[in-house]
Amino acid sequence: MLQVESITKRFGGVVANSDVTFSVQEGQIVGLIGPNGAGKSTMFNMISSVFPPTEGTITFKGQRIEKLPSFQVAPLGISRTFQNLQVFKNMTVIENVMVGQHMKTKTDLLGMASMLLGLTKRERKVYDEAMSYLEFFGLEDLYDQKAASLSLGKLRLLEFARAFATEPKLLLLDEIAAGLNHKETLEMSELIKKVRDSGVTVLVVEHDMDLVMSICDKLVVLDQGVKIAEGTPKEIQENEAVITAYLGADIDESEAEKVGEAI
Ligand code: ADP
Ligand code: MG
């Protein structure tokens, strides 16, 4: 489904990604992991065409996409969440999901607004669909709450729901479990699997090793922009270069502890 080939990204003197190659098969959950500053978000930014790579190619379903603008990549079926949440805080929960649907249905924003006043048949359908996405993510009771009033855990779910509402073929999740407690992280793992089971291929960037190890079919490990390992969770857990990269990295104690436990 996705082939990343010899990707290099430079920001002035900083080499954020250096000659990185990996692929994602349809139906998989693939984890992109590595210490802070490894180049994970930069890779996501190139796959979702926030900016182009300096060198290399990205092929999605047989089509080269590395030079396409993001408004042309999204309709091909790639959607994402952001490490720094990008929900619309002044909109309600259901309106945020409708923004995701908007990309798919091409209902104009005026249509979306009028929908909230008096529903036409077509608009009613969009509303009902939005509600079913909220149910999928367990957010239905919060549909009329302003996003600003949500907890971090619910905000992460909302951003996930909005990305899912675009009906992507490939979904990129950037630190979707960051800041969540243990119970919320477990629920997130289940949701990611449920999304995969619904037919969406998933690429996750995540620091929570328990989550990554339990849900991913394959892991790709970056360190300082370079791919240092690729394999099943079990293979990665036993990989010397990976252990060294993590334990030698400048990460906080609780993170180090978690990685150590997992490895
Ligand atoms: P990760 O997500 O793995 O923590 P990033 O991809 O965010 O890492 O960053 C990798 C490196 O690229 C870092 O040194 C970071 O400072 C740099 N970087 C990322 N985005 C930009 C940018 N837009 N401009 C300049 N440098 C950037
Ligand atoms: Mg990042």
Side-chain angles (χ1 to χ4, degrees), residues 11 14 16 34-43 45 51 83 174-175:
F11 296 107
V14 176
N36 285 329
K40 306 179 298 292
S41 292
T42 300
M43 181 57 72
N45 284 335
F51 45 63
Q83 185 172 348
D174 196 351
E175 301 207 21

Side-chain angles (χ1 to χ4, degrees), residues 13-256:
V14 176
V15 186
N17 286 129
S18 178
D19 198 20
V20 177
T21 295
F22 68 92
S23 63
V24 178
Q25 310 295 320
E26 188 165 354
Q28 282 187 331
I29 301 176
V30 173
L32 186 60
I33 66 170
N36 285 329
K40 306 179 298 292
S41 292
T42 300
M43 181 57 72
F44 267 22
N45 284 335
M46 289 183 286
I47 297 170
S48 58
S49 283
V50 173
F51 45 63
T54 311
E55 287 162 31
T57 63
I58 303 175
T59 308
F60 176 66
K61 286 187 149 289
Q63 185 176 348
R64 292 273 294 275
I65 60 166
E66 75 275 1
K67 292 199 176 88
L68 294 181
S70 58
F71 72 88
Q72 284 179 12
V73 168
L76 296 177
I78 299 181
S79 187
R80 69 173 294 181
T81 65
F82 290 85
Q83 185 172 348
N84 305 314
L85 288 157
Q86 305 222 344
V87 298
F88 298 102
K89 293 262 171 92
N90 289 321
M91 292 169 77
T92 64
V93 165
I94 197 162
E95 285 165 347
N96 266 280
V97 170
M98 285 175 182
V99 172
Q101 287 168 289
H102 165 65
M103 289 187 46
K104 179 191 59 171
T105 61
K106 305 275 185 285
T107 305
D108 63 25
L109 284 175
L110 197 63
M112 282 289 176
S114 69
M115 190 196 66
L116 299 168
L117 302 170
L119 304 181
T120 67
K121 210 170 167 189
R122 173 161 164 263
E123 291 156 352
R124 178 79 219 178
K125 187 168 166 282
V126 175
Y127 184 89
D128 288 345
E129 247 180 52
M131 211 43 156
S132 69
Y133 288 124
L134 291 181
E135 281 161 12
F136 191 99
F137 288 88
L139 292 170
E140 68 276 15
D141 292 345
L142 299 170
Y143 78 100
D144 62 347
Q145 300 289 306
K146 280 270 186 336
S149 71
L150 301 185
S151 66
L152 174 69
K154 300 291 185 209
L155 281 172
R156 293 227 180 264
L157 287 175
L158 178 56
E159 177 142 302
F160 195 175
R162 189 184 57 190
F164 184 69
T166 67
E167 293 190 354
K169 297 185 177 78
L170 175 68
L171 188 48
L172 314 176
L173 303 175
D174 196 351
E175 301 207 21
I176 193 85
L180 302 190
N181 65 33
H182 185 64
K183 180 164 169 281
E184 289 170 329
T185 303
L186 286 178
E187 286 165 3
M188 190 58 87
S189 304
E190 290 309 312
L191 265 175
I192 296 170
K193 286 193 274 186
K194 197 168 134 187
V195 163
R196 188 267 317 272
D197 293 343
S198 80
V200 180
T201 303
V202 185
L203 182 59
V204 293
V205 162
E206 191 49 66
H207 277 301
D208 191 297
M209 286 298 139
D210 293 338
L211 180 146
V212 165
M213 295 291 168
S214 67
I215 68 172
C216 292
D217 299 297
K218 178 172 94 169
L219 297 176
V220 175
V221 190
L222 296 180
D223 184 29
Q224 298 181 35
V226 177
K227 185 175 89 171
I228 58 167
E230 177 173 353
T232 62
K234 190 169 181 310
E235 287 163 352
I236 295 303
Q237 274 174 324
E238 295 163 358
N239 185 298
E240 285 296 328
V242 175
I243 296 168
T244 307
Y246 267 102
L247 299 182
D250 182 21
I251 50 179
D252 69 42
E253 243 170 60
S254 66
E255 221 175 304

